[in-house]
Amino acid sequence: MSLPSDFQWGFATAAYQIEGSADVDGRGPSIWDAFCAIPGKIADGSSGAVACDSYKRTKEDIDLLKSLGAKAYRFSISWSRCIPLGGRNDPVNQKGIDHYVKFVDDLLEAGITPFITLFHWDLPDALDKRYGGFLNKDEFTADFENYARVLFKAIPKCKHWITFNEPWCTSILGYNSGYFAPGHTSDRSRSAVGDSARECWIVGHNILIAHGKAVKVYREEFKPVNGGEIGITLNGDAVLPWDPEDPADVEACDRKIEFAISWFADPIYFGKYPDSMLKQLGDRLPTFTPEEVALVKGSNDFYGMNHYTANYIKHKTGTPPDDDFLGNLETLFYSKSGECIGPETQSFWLRPHAQGFRDLLNWLSKRYGYPKIYVTENGTSLKGENDMNLEQIVEDDFRVKYFDDYVKAMAKAYSEDGVNVRGYLAWSLMDNFEWAEGYETRFGVTYVDYENDQKRYPKKSAKAMKPLFESLIEKK
Ligand code: NCW
């Protein structure tokens, strides 16, 4: 097994999860600042106001990346640092822009390739308040297009751009389950009618249009001069039928991936929503105008894949319960025999299963014509890690094994199955603000001591990455 000689590997983070400095240099509030202020929304009552203090520790972070041998770093830009009120007619905050321009210069100086995510969940709060944020197609997509153009113009040296991170999470967790900002709960009742009942599907649709608009700007105004590439990052879990002998469970597996991944990837690669979604959701799913199809279809230079876990999938019979947005399937960790898909982690949704990663890489490649894939996130939390002492924490053998298994599964997908995977960014460079789970869940290969000046301690998994990749990457 092997990986190509030009393979990009490194680590990933997101602005709100690491930067802190919420009120520094003119940053405006985002919907996550507002959400964290609502009692009960974040497990430990915390917020990203301080986080890892990375806004002020760019040199320390780059030194850390260098010491780990990383070739690439994926980070996100805070929209509300660059345009504090968010909109196309609102003032640009030069201090915010300058921060990211310098950060990219410093990364390149250190020999590290930047991968920039334009949007990793922290929408300027003013846009949510002003016109309902993602829900307002015309306003939101025009404002995102403007924000993207401002950044493309400011940072021509960045050659790898990701428009949105995990729109499934924004749409479903933000507008259906209410687990993420802005905490809406739509389409939770079969009898619900009108736009407010189907917000989650409208948000997904509008994100696709915003993505298409930003890609058009990049391809027409910047790519001809700067080169570079642009795509979207989608999350998706691997699937196994609960009962491999039951055709309904086998069929439900594809449906599960379609509702998670193809919801966004089918419009991008084929110009339409998957049939399974159209069938189940009917007119709750918005329709694409011909202009929108033209904008969205073909809008990926690469496929950004975030992947963590697998589920057994079971078809449900009978009338779907009101609060089940997928209608008639269940995702489970245990099979009929009691066999578990993988060991427990600190995250209720995450069970390691590396073979599933290889299977999903193959599923995506077949369906979408073997696109270039960057794995833009992959990693794990570790059960009880937050309660261990430092000595135990840095000996994170569980995470070392996770990365070893997953990276080798990816190398096999490349060298044995013909999957065109070209990069891998481990989540995450350091422990950080894990959204609704607060600071209790740690995904870092580097421990961050929040109580003692955010000091960083690389774990065993951080140091294992370079030898792992060096053993797999083909020599030129
Ligand atoms: S929370 C989440 N994550 C983690 C986060 O740190 C990162 O920013 C995200 O890109 C790690 O990778 C992503 N994903 C959402 C998982 C929540 C699943 C809840 C399922 C409920 C049915």
Side-chain angles (χ1 to χ4, degrees):
M1 75 189 124
S2 64
L3 290 167
S5 59
D6 59 351
F7 195 82
Q8 299 270 8
W9 72 269
F11 303 92
T13 59
Y16 191 69
Q17 294 182 273
I18 66 163
E19 283 184 352
S21 295
D23 297 326
V24 174
D25 286 349
R27 176 187 180 276
S30 80
I31 54 171
W32 271 92
D33 295 282
F35 192 65
C36 292
I38 303 171
K41 294 294 185 193
I42 311 299
D44 56 5
S46 65
S47 75
V50 178
C52 309
D53 196 30
S54 282
Y55 185 72
K56 296 192 190 129
R57 294 177 198 234
T58 50
K59 181 172 178 331
E60 202 176 327
D61 288 354
I62 291 174
D63 287 347
L64 174 62
L65 285 161
K66 247 168 108 173
S67 75
L68 302 180
K71 293 184 170 190
Y73 181 48
R74 172 183 179 231
F75 63 97
S76 83
I77 287 183
S78 159
W79 185 343
S80 47
R81 274 193 204 287
C82 300
I83 309 175
L85 296 173
R88 54 202 184 282
N89 299 315
D90 295 319
V92 168
N93 177 30
Q94 199 54 43
K95 277 190 177 160
I97 305 271
D98 290 348
H99 170 82
Y100 294 109
V101 170
K102 175 159 181 359
F103 188 59
V104 167
D105 283 346
D106 293 350
L107 279 172
L108 290 169
E109 171 88 31
I112 299 165
T113 303
F115 281 67
I116 294 182
T117 314
L118 284 169
F119 182 80
H120 199 126
W121 302 353
D122 46 354
L123 184 77
D125 196 42
L127 301 186
D128 190 46
K129 300 233 156 62
R130 191 182 294 165
Y131 57 67
F134 311 98
L135 289 165
N136 188 322
K137 181 160 76 183
D138 292 345
E139 294 292 337
F140 169 67
T141 61
D143 284 345
F144 184 76
E145 177 185 329
N146 170 69
Y147 161 60
R149 183 183 280 107
V150 167
L151 269 302
F152 296 150
K153 193 167 173 203
I155 318 184
K157 291 181 193 168
C158 176
K159 307 297 180 196
H160 310 278
W161 294 89
I162 294 156
T163 53
F164 287 88
N165 180 70
E166 301 191 350
W168 181 93
C169 288
T170 304
S171 310
I172 294 298
L173 303 180
Y175 286 85
N176 171 266
S177 71
Y179 182 60
F180 277 2
H184 292 209
T185 49
S186 70
D187 209 0
R188 301 276 290 263
S189 160
R190 298 298 114 186
S191 53
V193 289
D195 279 0
S196 65
R198 57 186 193 114
E199 283 184 349
C200 51
W201 313 112
I202 293 169
V203 168
H205 191 82
N206 294 349
I207 289 178
L208 277 166
I209 310 303
H211 159 81
K213 285 192 175 178
V215 170
K216 188 168 190 280
V217 165
Y218 191 70
R219 287 179 177 168
E220 287 180 0
E221 300 172 28
F222 298 93
K223 198 169 172 157
V225 188
N226 305 337
E229 56 183 356
I230 186 162
I232 197 167
T233 277
L234 305 176
N235 56 303
D237 305 339
V239 291
L240 287 157
W242 171 266
D243 178 357
E245 307 294 318
D246 184 345
D249 286 358
V250 174
E251 185 274 334
C253 282
D254 272 354
R255 187 149 32 95
K256 167 66 171 36
I257 305 180
E258 284 167 0
F259 268 78
I261 292 176
S262 309
W263 175 7
F264 302 98
D266 274 19
I268 287 172
Y269 289 94
F270 308 141
K272 64 187 194 61
Y273 285 122
D275 290 342
S276 57
M277 292 187 76
L278 290 164
K279 190 173 154 208
Q280 193 158 314
L281 296 169
D283 64 7
R284 305 218 299 289
L285 208 53
T287 43
F288 288 105
T289 65
E291 295 74 37
E292 290 175 353
V293 172
L295 207 49
V296 173
K297 190 177 174 185
S299 59
N300 252 4
D301 295 334
F302 60 84
Y303 181 99
M305 176 186 191
N306 283 5
H307 180 74
Y308 289 88
T309 189
N311 295 293
Y312 288 113
I313 305 299
K314 188 170 163 26
H315 174 76
K316 265 196 253 172
T317 47
T319 313
D322 265 2
D323 61 353
D324 179 357
F325 73 93
L326 285 181
N328 54 0
L329 51 83
E330 229 176 322
T331 63
L332 305 135
F333 292 119
Y334 290 92
S335 78
K336 262 195 306 205
S337 59
E339 182 199 333
C340 188
I341 215 155
E344 274 186 79
T345 66
Q346 186 62 30
S347 312
F348 72 91
W349 50 272
L350 202 173
R351 298 279 185 136
H353 182 66
Q355 178 61 39
F357 183 30
R358 182 174 176 180
D359 293 343
L360 189 61
L361 280 161
N362 274 282
W363 192 99
L364 291 172
S365 298
K366 280 196 195 100
R367 187 169 178 115
Y368 299 115
Y370 289 80
K372 179 200 259 192
I373 297 176
Y374 291 122
V375 177
T376 42
E377 284 180 30
N378 176 239
T380 188
S381 58
L382 201 161
K383 188 133 193 80
E385 189 175 17
N386 201 34
D387 303 320
M388 296 175 189
N389 63 39
L390 181 58
E391 241 167 60
Q392 295 168 317
I393 286 173
V394 293
E395 291 293 312
D396 62 338
D397 292 305
F398 182 86
R399 192 174 279 107
V400 171
K401 179 165 165 33
Y402 180 99
F403 284 128
D404 200 73
D405 290 347
Y406 272 74
V407 169
K408 285 178 179 160
M410 172 178 71
K412 284 184 188 150
Y414 170 75
S415 55
E416 294 171 26
D417 309 338
V419 165
N420 188 19
V421 59
R422 297 282 153 168
Y424 177 97
L425 290 313
W427 185 271
S428 176
L429 176 63
M430 63 190 117
D431 295 335
N432 56 51
F433 176 69
E434 184 51 26
W435 308 109
E437 293 175 45
Y439 294 96
E440 287 167 1
T441 302
R442 296 175 176 270
F443 267 89
V445 296
T446 303
Y447 174 73
V448 178
D449 189 347
Y450 301 115
E451 254 97 78
N452 290 297
D453 196 29
Q454 269 68 15
K455 197 164 161 30
R456 281 99 157 115
Y457 299 87
K459 304 174 191 176
K460 205 190 233 181
S461 57
K463 298 170 188 164
M465 214 58 96
K466 184 170 183 238
L468 174 61
F469 278 101
E470 281 183 349
S471 74
L472 293 166
I473 292 177
E474 292 157 1
K475 308 273 171 295
K476 276 198 185 135

